[in-house]
Amino acid sequence: MDVVQPVSFAVMVSLAALWRSFGVEPDAVVGHSQGEIAAACVAGALSLRDAAKVVCARSSLIAEELAGHGGMASVSLPADEVSALLPAAGDVTVAAVNGPASTVVAGEPAALERLLADCAARGARTRHVAVDYASHSPQVERIEARLREVLAEVRPRAADVPMFSTVVADWVAPDDLDAGYWYRNLRHTVRFEEAVRALADQGHLAFIEVSPHPVLVPGIDQTLDGATVVGSLRRDDGGPDRFLLSVAEAQVAGVPVRLSAAFDDDRPAPVDLPTYPFQRQHYWLTAPEHTGDTGRDSAFWTAVDDADPTDPGALAELLGVPAAPLAEVLPGLTAWRAAQDAAAAADALRYTVRWRTAQLDDAPLNGTWLVVAPEGLPLAADCAAALARAGAEARVVGPDEAAAGIGTADAVVSLLGLTPGGTADEPAVPAGLAATLDLVRTVVRSGADTTLWLVTSGAVAATPADRLPRPEQATLWGLGRTLALEHPKLYGGILDLPDLPDLPDLPEEPDGTLDRLPAVLAATLDRLPAVLAGTEDQAALRATGVLVPRLARAPLAGRTPVGPWRPSGTVLVTDGLGPMGLPAARWLAAHGARALVLTTDDPSATAPDDLGVPVTVSTCDPADEKELAALLAAIPADAPLTAVVHAAGTLRSGPVADLDLAQAAATLDAKVRGAATLHRLTGELEAFVLFSSVAATWGGGEQGAFAAANAYLDALAHHRHALGLPATALAWGPWEGVGLGAADAAGEAARREQLRRRGILALSPERALTAMADAVRHGEPVVTVADVDWTAFAPAFTAARPSPLLSDLPDVRDGVTADAAVEPAADTSSLAARLTALPEAEQHRALTDLVRREAAVVLGHDDPDAMPTGRPFTELGFDSLAAVNLRNRLGTATGVRLSATAVFDHPSPAALADHLLRHLAAPPAAAVGSLDEELDRLAGVLSDVSDEDERRRALARLQGLVGRLATPADGDRASVSEALGTASDEEIFRFIDSELS
């Protein structure tokens, strides 16, 4: 035994390295019994030396002290059934739970034989494990002291890959892997089935067993439906051919594999294809399409639904069974059918964001890149160096210098989000968010033809090891997702680096963790160019690779709740008398809460009389720490606080480029500061629920501050979850009866109808709160709950800019494929050419038709005739979100950069067409006049510019041009006159821009 386990360890670690050489990088590791030692080594949590010491010490002590005194066996029964058969003396125990019907027992040999005989008599298969000791049983306690002593020098370290423990059935921190842990690893039951289920629930659905024989593959297959499970080698088949076959199995199952590793330097030679036509015979099995109920099933359930519960005679006759027994069964059938329908309807509303490894090519960068960073940030130089290594000309500037360099930059990478601390004037606004808003305004108003990327650190939970200690970083992600909608051509994307410690404030760590940080950071930053030059606009850069988010459905079917949450004691609801807080309060009271504390900002407000439990209404501001502390202290001890529902929040709309600090603070104060204060003061609870929004999940036009605030809530939920505290953030779609920010009832009705046509339906409070309870019971940190018709929503949402976030949803993927087949990309150059060939009146008519068609798509109409030419957009049902969408679609179709308010500045299809015509249609050729005549013509062009941003941009450029032309040479005067005489309006602006650059 003192040889077998070390050799097995060496094989497992070597196989993991071999898989990695084929490009298969683990997102997580899990180990079974001694396999945990190899898992810790593969994860980087133990050095190879320390891991070898653990496995050798373990096997040596087993051989010296335990061998010959016990045995182990596998039983094909569930663990609870085996436990019921165990002898009362405790001389046989459950050693490992490998699957739903795969249990390993260990103990004293004679007692073990009696148990196996009992199991066999019940029809269960049993098999002896070829060992003469009893791991994971009380016998291990004999070697506890010696094992702890010999492993006392083991020094765990920061892991590169998160490790899931089969000892505690949860993620394990590297610091926990000390001598005591490795004793518990040998003594306690191996909770392998539980670990596999937990990993699958968190999105890990591909398992590769690295071992000499795939002993765990059957257990994983039994535990999970639809997961990819692949072994490496097999007993008596352990050579390269077997391993390459396993690699091929993984690739066929969808695991990204780099097959070039199989060839080393000897590249495979091309093979001539046969000259005869392919026969196209399909040899692969084709899975039948799932079509729901078969016709036979459908007929049966229709008959059940239509049956009279009091007289099932007709159904009995149809089925050919007696009516009396059927009368007893029919209510159960009907109830089961209703429960299944309700569960399916609830699952259809649930979504989650899953992160997967991106396969990106190393693409070179070019042009000038501006890295805008707060003063004194060492990361800025590292970032610029990574860009330079990829071929870009990169330079670092501070926020005050950024404006001067933006006009000449091909791209801007902002590290301003890493600015520490808060804002002095508005404490609710993180300093990083405030600095980023300033930069966004500068870039947008400059009109520069550049691309803006945002960088955060530890803002998103892309891996289970991400703890998000500074959830305020996530506000940049909400802002960025909104920028993508409002400025699809300007916005590049957002990147998240690993959580970066503040090195000067950290104590020295003897294990060398900090010594490794520069190398890890350098490797991470070297991945920047691949993301910046690729098609992904959201990414997390981690030591193991580049991870990208994908929205996925998150059904609960087949999943087991982590606990039966039922409200009890006192529950605090912020904005508890508001349109979302009050329905939540009613639900809590109806489902077990003994008392409610409802906060409000209305001093005259009172609680309704029908809640049925004692209610305290308080004007306490949850963001005020003293007020909240006093409120919590007043809660009586006989009904202690057990849960919090943070429903407070304010929706204010407006373009990101116009968002000032005070407006941002008005939105962030209640949500962000309130949530942070509740987190600090409430301690241990049964539930901590945060009402978030889909604006944080996929963005919302003109909802930059709102999206930022809700993204913070999502990150705070992940942070609490990592700390072992309860947390559930619900990213809601719109609710029935909850305002959408319109000025009056008519506007609200129009906006809700517009959302319906776009594919966003309102949730009833009942359905929403049922989803809330389900999410809490299943221990989910963040879940998106929305009723979306993706075939209607996705085309409009992605019209101006593709959304990789949505690309894995089947409805979206199928719709994009269909659209690509019937709708070619807009050719803006041919549009301009067609307009030039038309008379002026026809030009206007063509553009008006284009505006009406795009407006009809935005509002969900099939016929452009629903968009009268002269009727104001506001009367047609346009709100700010629809206006941004139309602006984006017209920008894609015409190539004209329109302001965010263009739809309201030119308030009808005809007026907007006039505005587009001035940008697109070339004027008739005319003789070049004198300089004064050309300047007069330019003055006429400028008089038509009504948009304030465009006016500021033109003014800045003209001021610069005046400086350039203060003492012009004759040749310069002629070239200017010629350029002005032959240019279109848009070309004049481009000419001015080039002169200034």
Side-chain angles (χ1 to χ4, degrees), residues 43-56:
L46 288 183
S47 68
L48 182 60
R49 180 183 295 275
D50 277 350
K53 184 172 186 176
V54 173
V55 74
C56 290

mmCIF file of all heavy atoms in Angstrom, residues 43-56:
data_model
loop_
_atom_site.group_PDB
_atom_site.id
_atom_site.type_symbol
_atom_site.label_atom_id
_atom_site.label_comp_id
_atom_site.label_asym_id
_atom_site.label_seq_id
_atom_site.Cartn_x
_atom_site.Cartn_y
_atom_site.Cartn_z
ATOM 1 N N ALA A 43 -4.571 21.920 -8.662
ATOM 2 C CA ALA A 43 -5.128 23.268 -8.473
ATOM 3 C C ALA A 43 -4.059 24.289 -8.125
ATOM 4 O O ALA A 43 -4.292 25.495 -8.244
ATOM 5 C CB ALA A 43 -6.189 23.246 -7.373
ATOM 6 N N GLY A 44 -2.889 23.825 -7.675
ATOM 7 C CA GLY A 44 -1.845 24.749 -7.243
ATOM 8 C C GLY A 44 -1.923 25.069 -5.768
ATOM 9 O O GLY A 44 -1.128 25.870 -5.260
ATOM 10 N N ALA A 45 -2.868 24.450 -5.038
ATOM 11 C CA ALA A 45 -3.014 24.729 -3.615
ATOM 12 C C ALA A 45 -1.944 24.033 -2.782
ATOM 13 O O ALA A 45 -1.674 24.429 -1.645
ATOM 14 C CB ALA A 45 -4.404 24.301 -3.135
ATOM 15 N N LEU A 46 -1.337 22.972 -3.316
ATOM 16 C CA LEU A 46 -0.196 22.318 -2.688
ATOM 17 C C LEU A 46 0.928 22.238 -3.707
ATOM 18 O O LEU A 46 0.685 21.949 -4.890
ATOM 19 C CB LEU A 46 -0.544 20.891 -2.228
ATOM 20 C CG LEU A 46 -1.459 20.700 -1.016
ATOM 21 C CD1 LEU A 46 -1.600 19.219 -0.711
ATOM 22 C CD2 LEU A 46 -0.948 21.451 0.204
ATOM 23 N N SER A 47 2.130 22.484 -3.274
ATOM 24 C CA SER A 47 3.267 22.256 -4.166
ATOM 25 C C SER A 47 3.396 20.754 -4.416
ATOM 26 O O SER A 47 2.861 19.926 -3.661
ATOM 27 C CB SER A 47 4.550 22.792 -3.536
ATOM 28 O OG SER A 47 4.901 22.004 -2.401
ATOM 29 N N LEU A 48 4.107 20.389 -5.481
ATOM 30 C CA LEU A 48 4.299 18.965 -5.779
ATOM 31 C C LEU A 48 4.998 18.276 -4.615
ATOM 32 O O LEU A 48 4.661 17.142 -4.239
ATOM 33 C CB LEU A 48 5.114 18.817 -7.069
ATOM 34 C CG LEU A 48 5.367 17.381 -7.535
ATOM 35 C CD1 LEU A 48 4.064 16.663 -7.801
ATOM 36 C CD2 LEU A 48 6.239 17.376 -8.794
ATOM 37 N N ARG A 49 5.956 18.958 -4.001
ATOM 38 C CA ARG A 49 6.677 18.366 -2.867
ATOM 39 C C ARG A 49 5.736 18.097 -1.699
ATOM 40 O O ARG A 49 5.741 17.015 -1.107
ATOM 41 C CB ARG A 49 7.816 19.296 -2.449
ATOM 42 C CG ARG A 49 8.644 18.778 -1.258
ATOM 43 C CD ARG A 49 9.714 19.797 -0.872
ATOM 44 N NE ARG A 49 10.685 19.960 -1.938
ATOM 45 C CZ ARG A 49 11.744 19.182 -2.104
ATOM 46 N NH1 ARG A 49 11.967 18.192 -1.269
ATOM 47 N NH2 ARG A 49 12.590 19.414 -3.083
ATOM 48 N N ASP A 50 4.896 19.112 -1.351
ATOM 49 C CA ASP A 50 3.991 18.930 -0.214
ATOM 50 C C ASP A 50 2.938 17.871 -0.512
ATOM 51 O O ASP A 50 2.560 17.075 0.363
ATOM 52 C CB ASP A 50 3.318 20.255 0.141
ATOM 53 C CG ASP A 50 4.193 21.129 1.034
ATOM 54 O OD1 ASP A 50 5.217 20.620 1.520
ATOM 55 O OD2 ASP A 50 3.846 22.304 1.247
ATOM 56 N N ALA A 51 2.417 17.857 -1.743
ATOM 57 C CA ALA A 51 1.405 16.862 -2.096
ATOM 58 C C ALA A 51 1.990 15.457 -2.014
ATOM 59 O O ALA A 51 1.343 14.517 -1.516
ATOM 60 C CB ALA A 51 0.866 17.144 -3.499
ATOM 61 N N ALA A 52 3.230 15.299 -2.515
ATOM 62 C CA ALA A 52 3.879 13.985 -2.434
ATOM 63 C C ALA A 52 4.086 13.577 -0.980
ATOM 64 O O ALA A 52 3.946 12.390 -0.620
ATOM 65 C CB ALA A 52 5.212 14.028 -3.182
ATOM 66 N N LYS A 53 4.409 14.543 -0.128
ATOM 67 C CA LYS A 53 4.599 14.241 1.293
ATOM 68 C C LYS A 53 3.297 13.756 1.918
ATOM 69 O O LYS A 53 3.290 12.797 2.706
ATOM 70 C CB LYS A 53 5.100 15.489 2.017
ATOM 71 C CG LYS A 53 5.426 15.252 3.488
ATOM 72 C CD LYS A 53 6.106 16.471 4.092
ATOM 73 C CE LYS A 53 6.568 16.179 5.523
ATOM 74 N NZ LYS A 53 7.323 17.312 6.104
ATOM 75 N N VAL A 54 2.182 14.386 1.564
ATOM 76 C CA VAL A 54 0.885 13.984 2.119
ATOM 77 C C VAL A 54 0.557 12.556 1.698
ATOM 78 O O VAL A 54 0.166 11.720 2.518
ATOM 79 C CB VAL A 54 -0.220 14.956 1.672
ATOM 80 C CG1 VAL A 54 -1.588 14.441 2.111
ATOM 81 C CG2 VAL A 54 0.016 16.348 2.254
ATOM 82 N N VAL A 55 0.699 12.249 0.416
ATOM 83 C CA VAL A 55 0.288 10.922 -0.054
ATOM 84 C C VAL A 55 1.217 9.837 0.479
ATOM 85 O O VAL A 55 0.776 8.733 0.832
ATOM 86 C CB VAL A 55 0.203 10.887 -1.599
ATOM 87 C CG1 VAL A 55 1.577 10.878 -2.253
ATOM 88 C CG2 VAL A 55 -0.602 9.686 -2.066
ATOM 89 N N CYS A 56 2.509 10.141 0.574
ATOM 90 C CA CYS A 56 3.436 9.131 1.099
ATOM 91 C C CYS A 56 3.207 8.892 2.589
ATOM 92 O O CYS A 56 3.231 7.744 3.061
ATOM 93 C CB CYS A 56 4.879 9.553 0.838
ATOM 94 S SG CYS A 56 5.347 9.489 -0.907
#
